[in-house]
Amino acid sequence: MLISCGDALIDFVPTKNADGREAVMPAVGGSCLNVAIGIARLGASTGFVGGISNDMFGSMIAEHAAASNVELGFATRSDHQTTLAFVRIVGGESHYAFYDAETATRNWTFRRGTLPFDTIEAVHVGSTTLVNDQGAAETKALIADAKATSTISFDPNCRPNLVKDKPGYLARMVEFATQADLIKMSDVDFAYLFGEEPYQQRADAMLGQGPSLVVITRGNNGAIAWHAKTGQIEVEAPKVAVADTIGAGDSFQAALLFALHKQGRLARQQLKDISADGLRRALSFAANCAGLTCTRPGADPPWSHEISWSW
């Protein structure tokens, strides 16, 4: 099984009403839930770990996850309200306003001993859960238990409007990166965290601290990856008609984890030994899945029958 730990929320995504005026439409989201849904839709056994409310929106989240074959037995249900995020598209990028005080996600705690890590191939973490002190501490505890047997995947998926202490947040993201085997971030995240530092320089520094793979996605410019053994690999983005980019990075992450799993290269040692050809195929598959996600509104990653691959 693969699991994703973190945020589950409702995105209010932009649309138009009958008069052509701006409106919003509720859609299930949350980066880490999106990753779980993306993996499960592609056909791998997947679970979600995090807080889900018992309110109306929490029911929407649970129903959506279950319909995508995500196992919710490891999630924590509570009477805290659901996190809400309102989205606007500015310059082709998604911008968010979050309502996240005292929510089910913010109040999630890791229940030690409840996850069978010896049967869990990989654990994905990241996003808004790591902004607040409690979420970061609980995720660290989960990683500490998981790391002996499970590959750790990390995507900071930064949300600058939630960050109150940027130096502290940067230090936290760097610390999580040292605990990961696989790191993926967008070029926008990279610029927020590391400014104009060359990609290669930062990737080399990260690889020197333990991770095997660092990937940076660059929208229409495709993705570039650095692997400790095979070196640098670059793949193109597919040409698609973009509806919006919501969930594209999560879809990429999910598809990359799935592709590595499908090749038998997701376990820590196997990831270290992956060939350049195997990694290129995994990255290309991830880019194609992200491209398909961009053709429809909201975070709606592809199902296995919608995307083809060859192994």
Side-chain angles (χ1 to χ4, degrees), residues 81-151:
Q81 65 186 7
T82 298
T83 299
L84 306 180
F86 289 79
V87 188
R88 291 199 77 190
I89 308 300
V90 180
E93 292 289 336
S94 302
H95 292 252
Y96 294 82
F98 287 92
Y99 295 82
D100 191 33
E102 298 302 316
T103 61
T105 292
R106 286 287 293 269
N107 284 279
W108 168 77
T109 58
F110 171 51
R111 296 171 291 171
R112 239 185 187 124
T114 59
L115 297 177
F117 288 116
D118 58 338
T119 66
I120 293 171
E121 188 176 11
V123 176
H124 174 72
V125 301
S127 196
T128 61
T129 306
L130 306 185
V131 174
N132 66 84
D133 292 342
Q134 178 177 327
E138 298 296 335
T139 305
K140 286 179 185 177
L142 181 146
I143 291 173
D145 276 11
K147 197 167 174 61
T149 54
S150 304
T151 296

Side-chain angles (χ1 to χ4, degrees), residues 3-6 32 123-127 130 139 142-143 152-156 176:
I3 65 171
S4 185
C5 171
C32 294
V123 176
H124 174 72
V125 301
S127 196
L130 306 185
T139 305
L142 181 146
I143 291 173
I152 307 300
S153 163
F154 169 56
D155 176 6
F176 272 101

Side-chain angles (χ1 to χ4, degrees), residues 15-32:
T15 185
K16 300 285 187 181
N17 65 16
D19 298 326
R21 292 182 294 176
E22 287 190 10
V24 292
M25 175 182 68
V28 174
S31 176
C32 294

Side-chain angles (χ1 to χ4, degrees), residues 84-249:
L84 306 180
F86 289 79
V87 188
R88 291 199 77 190
I89 308 300
V90 180
E93 292 289 336
S94 302
H95 292 252
Y96 294 82
F98 287 92
Y99 295 82
D100 191 33
E102 298 302 316
T103 61
T105 292
R106 286 287 293 269
N107 284 279
W108 168 77
T109 58
F110 171 51
R111 296 171 291 171
R112 239 185 187 124
T114 59
L115 297 177
F117 288 116
D118 58 338
T119 66
I120 293 171
E121 188 176 11
V123 176
H124 174 72
V125 301
S127 196
T128 61
T129 306
L130 306 185
V131 174
N132 66 84
D133 292 342
Q134 178 177 327
E138 298 296 335
T139 305
K140 286 179 185 177
L142 181 146
I143 291 173
D145 276 11
K147 197 167 174 61
T149 54
S150 304
T151 296
I152 307 300
S153 163
F154 169 56
D155 176 6
N157 193 40
C158 304
R159 295 291 178 253
N161 58 327
L162 293 179
V163 175
K164 307 303 181 187
D165 171 17
K166 185 175 179 180
Y169 176 74
L170 172 58
R172 179 177 289 169
M173 295 303 99
V174 170
E175 181 182 0
F176 272 101
T178 66
Q179 297 300 306
D181 300 290
L182 185 162
I183 302 164
K184 192 278 291 182
M185 70 183 81
S186 70
D187 52 355
V188 175
D189 290 339
F190 187 97
Y192 177 69
L193 293 172
F194 306 116
E196 296 182 0
E197 180 178 356
Y199 291 156
Q200 177 81 56
Q201 180 175 306
R202 176 57 59 171
D204 287 345
M206 288 178 166
L207 293 174
Q209 294 176 316
S212 298
L213 178 63
V214 176
V215 181
I216 297 175
T217 56
R218 303 171 299 165
N220 291 333
N221 294 318
I224 186 166
W226 294 265
H227 186 270
K229 180 179 177 181
T230 62
Q232 181 177 318
I233 293 177
E234 189 169 351
V235 297
E236 295 183 352
K239 306 300 183 187
V240 298
V242 176
D244 67 44
T245 60
I246 298 170

Side-chain angles (χ1 to χ4, degrees), residues 242-267:
V242 176
D244 67 44
T245 60
I246 298 170
D250 303 327
S251 183
F252 184 102
Q253 184 83 41
L256 177 59
L257 292 172
F258 174 82
L260 294 170
H261 161 78
K262 189 77 172 176
Q263 293 184 65
R265 292 296 178 181
L266 185 52

